[in-house]
């Protein structure tokens, strides 16, 4: 038998006790105590990092959200319906010919370092973008039609244009302090982190929140700007916490480490519904998923490229496939019902959206009828061929590897194509690979998605002939047009809307264009998906949806919720349930905790069973060992 | 202390031929020199391999700009120009700066080594905590179980450690979050579910250190469970191997107490494979905590690797892979040297 008073063992025990003590010391800083200190800090859990705080460098949605806190745009978007609204520009007017725009700059606005914001800072910001290269990456589209920008006095900026453009009301460009950015030259700007400890000190804007602490990959902390021109926020500050695991983020929301969880998956969202003190909100959003056709891949100079099936150049075939796709089923199966079947490429939450009078319905019989009529005979193997009997209709499909929705959609599509006599092979590839495939035109159909800005120009450009693939140094690159839909009439309308500065007249053209592309079946817009967010209703109240009343309550075009929310107190708590936001979509009867707990217990039981079996085996072999 | 014990063990171990004192020193020196040269050779190979590996990856690094923001084809082409140059030209640039000391991360737009440095300390904290817990507990269990083979302690501990060894660490991590972060029923959540430190605290203050410890407990436990299992199983196996050896009988015949036989003779001889493994694992954990760091959003090198891969940041990936291979090579050499110091048989 072993002696218990073994010195080595005792040493080891002491060492592990020491470790235990460290751990115990750690436990003594409870989460609750920390929360009490920062009671009025609004803590937002995000899954996507702020890739850069420098407004010329970052490209993620989280980065744009952070810049919205730090900076003011020249103009903004209303919470109601994304209409242009004054920010740093108090008002503006255009000349008769629409080529001269005069902006009245708001007086009494100061940067976070106390310096006043004047017309010079506005002119500096725009000129920097127009003269820059890197600077154009994020804001180039805003200045494409601008010839000159001049500050004529402290409160007036005059912009001269090459062509009239409605974009002049939508200049959501963050206004930078000239006294800081003029110290950063064209080379330095590439590495400028724009953080408080940068040289020169970064993060200085005129926005409602001041950046105080940036820890790459961990969190970003902002305090409220008490001198904000539109009124100080009702909260002490904002903190973004980065989570790389959606489950962990939701657990953090449940135990009160964060107050808001952004961009949730449908299954995680469903588990949160009905949880005490948590409001799970499904909002209409400006993104859509689509199926595209290769309706004749070519370069901008007209050279045909790619391996697209000739049948897809026939609009009737595309229409037939559109009839074969059951969008309702896709919304149910891929989005758990959190979305709506799609039609045109400008989503319904924008006033510019056009809804077809006679939308294409799910009707496989009609699809077969159209194909029969168009002369694509069924072969003996059940696969249709081209009218002359050549080229059986066998399509190459692609799905995105990072999207389960994409893969499920393509799987469904294969079945639906089979129903109408079309065979297919499907492959799942990364988005960057699919981007290459799209550019080279070596596909028949694939699934992807777009996120649509309030101004429709960019989205509409994806159906113009000028956005076909292009060749550069022997390599073919994708333009924005991944359906290879090309129509002169459409292109003319595109030119018209891009210079039409009357909003109603432009909307009419924009709607006509959407319907034109819809009727040609350039895309099948499968679904407009919802944006899923959740917050602790016992912590903050007063979220403002954009657009009202069903839009997202954070990650908007603007800072409405950040400026309006306030900590829940006894006075406002009674009203918060009904008045926090116009609440929708909550009230599921499933208990959120049960799912994961059962899964965990089941897992533990399986593990335990395996353990017991191993133990029993071990014992048997040990018995035979020991004689 | 371990070395002293080992030398004493060697004294009473009749098997190995003990060379003369001078020869022993020279042998060790030559051995270390040989290992360093071999390590250097491996490093050069890895450097070259790294270059071609990352240029074989598919995809267009500039493509990620496309879906996110309005960008004209002309601007896209400019960005692309900056990212792609002829291969020989890239190779020369690479050889001039294989560590990418001047490299800028395409994802964060910051110098690559600033990013790596910022992420190194959380990984080192996690590595330290994990290694200490796993080695101390794992080795202790292994010794005890091996020495008393067939005892109830042996059976239970072997079953439990096998269980841990078979558990995916990210799944264990999720369970830990569910149990100790959210809490279930009356059982309160006590540990944070992610991150390495609370905001607004100086990491070097007392508060900062406790906050870091608080955040490190769960990921360290998740990682340690697996390595602990590995150490205890290996240690147990080597102990069992030593059980029947003649030198132990000799020691007992000299009238040594059982625990002295174990400590002075069996353990030093049995610990060699485990020591090698510990050092090798240190090299691997530096880059191998990817899943655990991701589950706990623990901002270390493993998470950075995950991010670099998902953001297609080739420069960052290249730097990270180099750090990881270097750490494996360095700890390999250290393991060899430590073993050589402990066990003279190796040096010949």
């Amino acid at each position: 038998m072993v002696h218990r008073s073994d010195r080595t063992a005792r040493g080891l025990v002491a060492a592990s006790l020491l470790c235990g003590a460290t751990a115990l010391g750690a436990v003594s800083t409870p989460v609750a105590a920390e929360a009490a200190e920062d009671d009025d800090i609004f803590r937002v859990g995000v899954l996507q990092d702020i890739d850069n705080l420098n407004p010329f460098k970052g490209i993620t949605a989280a980065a744009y959200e952070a810049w919205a806190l730090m900076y003011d745009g020249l103009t903004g978007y209303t919470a109601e319906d994304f209409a242009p609204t004054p920010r740093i520009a108090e008002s503006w007017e255009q000349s008769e010919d629409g080529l001269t725009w005069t902006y009245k700059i708001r007086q009494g606005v100061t940067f976070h370092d106390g310096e006043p914001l004047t017309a010079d800072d506005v002119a500096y910001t725009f000129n920097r973008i127009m003269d820059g290269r890197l600077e154009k990456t994020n804001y180039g589209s805003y200045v494409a039609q601008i010839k000159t920008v001049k500050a004529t006095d402290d409160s007036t900026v005059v912009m001269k244009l090459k062509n009239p453009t409605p974009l002049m009301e939508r200049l959501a460009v963050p206004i930078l302090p000239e006294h800081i950015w003029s110290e950063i030259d064209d080379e330095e700007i590439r590495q400028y982190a724009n953080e408080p400890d940068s040289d020169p000190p970064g993060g200085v804007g005129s926005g409602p929140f001041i950046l105080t602490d940036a820890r790459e990959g961990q969190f970003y902390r902002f305090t409220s700007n008490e001198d904000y021109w539109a009124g100080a926020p009702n909260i002490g500050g904002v903190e973004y916490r980065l989570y790389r695991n959606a489950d962990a983020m939701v657990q953090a929301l449940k135990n009160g480490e964060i107050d808001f969880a952004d961009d949730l998956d449908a299954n995680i969202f469903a588990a949160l519904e009905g949880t005490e003190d948590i409001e799970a909100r499904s909002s209409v959003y400006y993104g859509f998923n689509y199926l595209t056709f290769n309706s004749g891949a070519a370069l901008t100079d007209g050279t045909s490229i790619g391996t697209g099936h000739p049948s897809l150049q026939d609009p009737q075939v595309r229409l037939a496939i559109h009839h074969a796709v059951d969008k309702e089923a896709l919304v149910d199966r891929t989005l758990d019902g959190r979305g709506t079947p799609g039609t045109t490429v400008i989503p319904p939450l924008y006033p510019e959206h056009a809804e077809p009078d006679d939308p294409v319905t799910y009707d496989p019989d009609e699809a077969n009828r159209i194909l029969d009529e168009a002369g694509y005979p069924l072969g003996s193997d059940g696969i249709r061929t081209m009218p002359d009997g050549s080229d059986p209709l066998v399509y190459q499909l692609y799905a995105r590897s990072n999207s389960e929705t994409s893969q499920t959609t393509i799987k469904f599509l294969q079945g639906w194509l089979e129903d109408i006599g079309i065979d297919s092979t499907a492959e799942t590839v990364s988005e960057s690979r699919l981007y290459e495939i799209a550019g080279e035109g070596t596909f028949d159909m694939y699934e992807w998605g777009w996120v649509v800005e309030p101004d429709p120009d960019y989205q509409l450009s994806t159906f113009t002939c000028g956005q076909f693939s292009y060749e550069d140094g022997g390599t073919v690159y994708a333009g924005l047009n991944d359906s290879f839909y090309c129509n002169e009439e459409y292109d003319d309308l595109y030119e018209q809307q891009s210079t039409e500065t009357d909003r109603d007249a432009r909307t009419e053209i924009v709607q006509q264009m959407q319907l034109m592309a819809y009727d040609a079946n350039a895309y099948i817009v499968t679904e407009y998906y919802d944006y899923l967010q959740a917050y602790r209703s016992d912590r903050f109240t007063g979220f403002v949806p954009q657009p009202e009343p069903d839009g997202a309550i954070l990650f908007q075009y603007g800072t409405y919720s950040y400026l309006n929310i306030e900590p829940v107190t006894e006075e406002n708590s009674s009203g918060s349930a009904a008045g926090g936001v116009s609440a929708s979509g909550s009230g599921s009867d499933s208990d959120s905790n049960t799912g994961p707990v059962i899964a965990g217990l089941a897992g533990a039981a399986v593990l335990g069973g395996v353990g017991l079996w191993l133990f029993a085996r071990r014992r048997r072999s040990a018995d035979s060992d020991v004689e | 202390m371990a070395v002293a014990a080992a030398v004493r063990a060697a004294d009473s171990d009749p098997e190995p031929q003990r060379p003369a004192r001078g020869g022993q020193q020279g042998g060790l020196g030559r051995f270390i020199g040989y290992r360093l040269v071999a390590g250097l050779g491996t490093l050069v190979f890895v450097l070259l391999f790294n270059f071609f590996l990352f240029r074989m990856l598919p995809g267009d690094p500039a493509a990620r700009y496309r879906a996110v923001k309005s960008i004209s084809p002309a601007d896209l082409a400019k960005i692309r120009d900056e990212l792609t140059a002829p291969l020989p030209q890239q190779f020369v640039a690479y050889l001039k700066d294989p560590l990418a000391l001047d490299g800028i991360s395409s994802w964060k737009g910051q110098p690559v080594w600033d990013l790596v440095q910022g992420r190194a300390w959380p990984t080192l904290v996690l590595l330290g905590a994990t290694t200490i817990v796993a080695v101390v507990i794992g080795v202790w269990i292994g010794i005890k179980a091996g020495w008393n083979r067939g005892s109830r302690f042996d059976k239970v501990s072997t079953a439990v450690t096998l269980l841990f060894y078979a558990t995916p660490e990210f799944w264990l991590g999720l369970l830990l979050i569910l149990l100790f972060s959210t809490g279930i029923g009356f059982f309160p959540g006590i540990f944070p579910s992610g991150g390495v430190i609370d905001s607004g605290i100086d990491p070097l203050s007392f508060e900062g250190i406790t906050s870091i410890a608080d955040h490190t407990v769960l990921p360290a436990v998740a990682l340690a469970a697996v390595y602990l299992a590995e150490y205890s199983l290996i240690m147990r196996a080597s102990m069992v191997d030593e059980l029947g050896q003649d030198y132990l009988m000799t020691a007992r015949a000299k009238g040594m107490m059982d625990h002295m036989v174990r400590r002075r003779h069996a353990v030093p001889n049995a610990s060699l494979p485990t020591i090698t493994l510990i050092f090798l694992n240190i090299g691997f954990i530096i880059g191998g905590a990817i899943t655990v760091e991701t589950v706990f959003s623990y901002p270390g090198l493993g998470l950075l690797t995950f991010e670099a891969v998902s953001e297609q940041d080739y420069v960052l990936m290249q730097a990270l892979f180099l750090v990881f291979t270097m750490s494996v090579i360095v700890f390999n050499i250290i393991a060899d040297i430590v073993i050589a110091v402990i066990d003279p048989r190796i040096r010949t």
Side-chain angles (χ1 to χ4, degrees), chain A residues 55-56 71-72 111 121-122 124-125 128 174-178 181 204:
Chain A
F56 294 119
Y71 298 100
D72 279 310
F111 286 113
D121 294 299
V122 176
Y124 172 79
T125 303
R128 172 122 210 186
I175 302 306
L176 305 174
E178 179 176 8
W181 288 80
V204 178

Side-chain angles (χ1 to χ4, degrees), chain A residues 335-357:
Chain A
L335 301 179
D336 202 18
R338 308 267 164 221
T340 46
T343 51
T344 55
V345 292
I346 304 297
L349 85 174
Y350 289 127
E352 289 86 357
H353 169 74
E355 189 64 22
D357 292 332

Side-chain angles (χ1 to χ4, degrees), chain A residues 371-395:
Chain A
L371 287 174
D372 290 340
E373 202 168 89
Y376 294 87
L378 268 176
S380 55
D381 54 354
I383 310 294
R384 289 177 190 275
T385 59
M386 293 299 284
D388 61 3
S390 68
D391 281 326
L393 269 60
V394 181
Y395 292 166

Side-chain angles (χ1 to χ4, degrees), chain A residues 281-340:
Chain A
R281 185 181 161 87
S282 174
S283 311
V284 295
Y285 191 58
Y286 34 86
F288 67 84
N289 294 324
Y290 65 91
L291 290 163
T292 189
F293 301 101
N294 184 347
S295 30
L299 300 178
T300 39
D301 63 11
T303 320
S304 272
I305 53 167
T307 57
H309 197 280
S311 60
L312 287 174
Q313 296 181 22
D314 182 348
Q316 289 303 103
V317 174
R318 302 200 299 261
L319 174 66
I321 295 173
H322 201 159
H323 273 296
V325 170
D326 186 354
K327 297 174 185 173
E328 298 273 358
L330 284 180
V331 170
D332 278 351
R333 296 294 296 273
T334 65
L335 301 179
D336 202 18
R338 308 267 164 221
T340 46

